[in-house]
Structures are given as C-alpha cells and as structure tokens.
C-alpha cells in the first residue's frame, strides 16, 4: 500500500454504497482503516448514505465523504471521482458495486429495460474506472474490485439484461487486469449469489425457503459475506492476485 499522510490519506471509493451490499462493503473497508467515499443517486438514498456515514464516524477512526452521482452518466462519474480526489488526494481502492435490475422474460423485455441495466451495471463500471485509473496509474498502485454476479456466470431466466451486463463485467475485469498489471494495479471481481437485502426481505417466505434449497450451504449470503471477499481483494494479502472471479454463492453455481 502507498504511504499516506494526513494531507494525502487516500480512500476507498464504493459506488452504490448507500445501502445493501455497498453499505456493508463501505463499513468493512472503513473498519480496515480506509477513508471511504459513499456514493448514492437519489433523495431517498441520500438519507441512508448520511446514516451510513454517521455509523462509520461513530465506530471507525476514518473520514467519509458522501457524493451523489449517477454512474451510468460518463460526466457524473467524473464528478464522483474528482470529488474523491479533492477530498482525499488519492483513490487506492475502487469498488464498482452500483447496479440495478429490470427483470423480465426476453419476449416481453422492452429495449429500455435492457439499456438501463447495461448502462448502469456495465457501462457504469467503465465510466468510473475510466476516470479513476489515471490517478491510480500515476501513483503506481491500486485495487479495483468489480461486483459481478453468478447470473453473469451461469445465466438466469428472466435476467437476459442483467446476466449479459454482469458477464460483461467479468470480461472487463480480466481485460483491465492485463492492461494495468505493469502499474501494480490489480483488478478482480466478486460474483455474489442470492444475498439477503431489502429486496429479498419483501419476498414470500415460502419462495425464499425453496430458493435456499438450491444452495448447497442452505442459506442466503449476508451482505457481510460479500464485503469480506471485497476486503480480501483490497488487502495486501491479495497483492499477487489479479484477473480473478470469486464466487460467493454458497455453492449455488457449482
């Protein structure tokens, strides 16, 4: 890891980190001693982002910065990266977590449903990484961790848009791993399976139990399970690992 000082402490930038998996990642990295940029997109998520920043401030000896930005927009992604650099002087860890779903069977899927998911889940990864990678190359160090999905590995009915985008994230991860390795920048992906979030909390309990029967370990992942994998890729222990995809799915996609 590069040397940091009070004037140039560096940071971990986590997109889509106001709640769910992103919030768990932000808290885990803060607990590991990293300043954190929390990214959100709406007034509703602004409240949860502020609450997250408060929790981190109360439990960790680090600083936080909350930035509203729609990472599907190339210029907005630059604004997000610029805000992180202005506040902390460097970006040491980039976690491309932000994502959306617009599920539907292919024969009924509208063009905008496909485009919206690809624009956020795949192009958004490019947008933020494109702006963040220049400073990382100059400092000759960086960790890039992209959140893919087992849907991007095995596919999933009703998720042609999401599966395509998440498969693209894996290809992007491997391509930039080759490009950036000479500058000591690693690029890896985490592919979660079925994760307990606000969305799954509203699902029918019988449906949840049936889905868990398809998972060899017999339970959904907690957001902290995904955060643990991200923290490993962000750590010094993963310094010789790049271009890899770690499935955190309880054996779901064996």
């Amino acid at each position: 890891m590069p040397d940091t000082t009070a004037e140039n402490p560096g940071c971990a930038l986590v997109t889509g980190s106001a709640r769910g998996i992103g919030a768990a990642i932000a808290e885990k990295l803060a607990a590991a001693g990293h300043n954190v940029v929390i990214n959100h997109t709406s007034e509703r998520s602004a409240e949860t982002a502020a609450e997250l920043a408060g929790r981190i401030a109360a439990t960790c000896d680090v600083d936080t910065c909350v930035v509203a930005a729609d990472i599907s927009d190339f210029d907005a992604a630059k604004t997000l990266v610029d805000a992180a650099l202005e506040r902390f002087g460097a970006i040491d860890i980039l976690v491309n977590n932000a994502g959306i779903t617009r599920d539907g069977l292919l024969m009924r899927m509208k063009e905008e449903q496909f485009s919206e998911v690809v624009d956020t889940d795949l192009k958004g990864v490019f947008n933020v990484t494109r702006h963040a990678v220049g400073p990382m190359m100059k400092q000759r160090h960086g960790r890039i961790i992209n959140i893919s999905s087992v849907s991007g590995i095995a596919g999933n009915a009703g998720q042609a848009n999401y599966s395509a985008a998440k498969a693209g994230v894996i290809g992007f991860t491997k391509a930039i791993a080759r490009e950036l390795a000479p500058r000591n920048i690693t690029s890896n992906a985490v592919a979660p399976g079925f994760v307990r979030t606000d969305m799954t909390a509203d699902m029918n309990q019988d449906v949840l139990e049936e889905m868990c029967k398809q998972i060899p370990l017999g339970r959904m992942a907690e957001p902290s399970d995904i955060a643990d994998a991200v923290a490993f890729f962000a750590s010094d222990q993963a310094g010789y690992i790049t271009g890899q995809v770690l499935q955190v799915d309880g054996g779901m996609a064996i």
Side-chain angles (χ1 to χ4, degrees):
M1 300 292 288
D3 292 334
T4 59
T5 66
E7 293 76 25
N8 186 27
C11 75
L13 168 56
V14 186
T15 67
S17 48
R19 60 180 182 162
I21 294 172
I25 292 170
E27 289 191 89
K28 185 72 177 183
L29 294 177
H34 303 289
N35 295 324
V36 177
V37 175
I38 300 166
N39 164 238
H40 70 94
T41 57
S42 68
E43 289 185 14
R44 183 168 65 92
S45 59
E47 183 176 345
T48 56
E51 291 172 354
L52 173 60
R55 289 200 306 274
I56 291 174
T59 57
C60 304
D61 187 20
V62 299
D63 196 5
T64 61
C65 176
V66 178
V67 183
D70 178 359
I71 54 94
S72 68
D73 180 272
F74 188 73
D75 293 332
K78 184 177 187 303
T79 298
L80 171 61
V81 170
D82 288 346
L85 292 170
E86 181 178 355
R87 179 66 176 270
F88 296 118
I91 298 173
D92 301 303
I93 301 163
L94 170 61
V95 184
N96 286 303
N97 165 77
I100 63 171
T101 56
R102 298 288 186 268
D103 295 351
L105 296 175
L106 179 61
M107 289 300 294
R108 298 176 181 173
M109 185 174 290
K110 298 178 181 179
E111 181 184 5
E112 55 265 31
Q113 289 177 292
F114 192 91
S115 296
E116 286 174 5
V117 170
V118 171
D119 284 350
T120 297
D121 295 20
L122 179 56
K123 184 172 176 285
V125 173
F126 163 78
N127 288 344
V128 181
T129 307
R130 170 63 178 79
H131 294 304
V133 76
M136 281 188 176
M137 292 178 72
K138 288 181 180 178
Q139 69 194 28
R140 301 188 71 85
H141 179 274
R143 296 278 193 270
I144 299 170
I145 303 106
N146 299 319
I147 305 302
S148 181
S149 169
V150 293
S151 294
I153 297 171
N156 194 28
Q159 287 192 318
N161 48 5
Y162 185 75
S163 296
K166 292 301 187 178
V169 168
I170 291 173
F172 180 80
T173 298
K174 291 176 178 289
I176 67 171
R178 289 183 176 274
E179 282 189 34
L180 302 177
R183 293 300 182 102
N184 195 34
I185 300 169
T186 63
S187 170
N188 293 289
V190 175
F194 193 37
V195 184
R196 190 186 306 278
T197 62
D198 292 344
M199 252 191 295
T200 58
D202 294 332
M203 291 178 65
N204 181 279
Q205 189 62 36
D206 292 336
V207 173
L208 289 176
E209 290 177 2
E210 283 300 313
M211 295 184 75
C212 286
K213 289 178 182 178
Q214 308 304 313
I215 302 172
L217 285 181
R219 68 170 179 88
M220 289 187 288
E222 299 294 335
S224 59
D225 292 316
I226 313 306
D228 286 341
V230 170
F232 169 68
F233 277 138
S235 72
D236 290 340
Q237 286 71 32
Y240 197 62
I241 301 173
T242 195
Q244 302 304 305
V245 182
L246 178 58
Q247 294 175 213
V248 185
D249 64 356
M252 184 178 175
I254 291 175

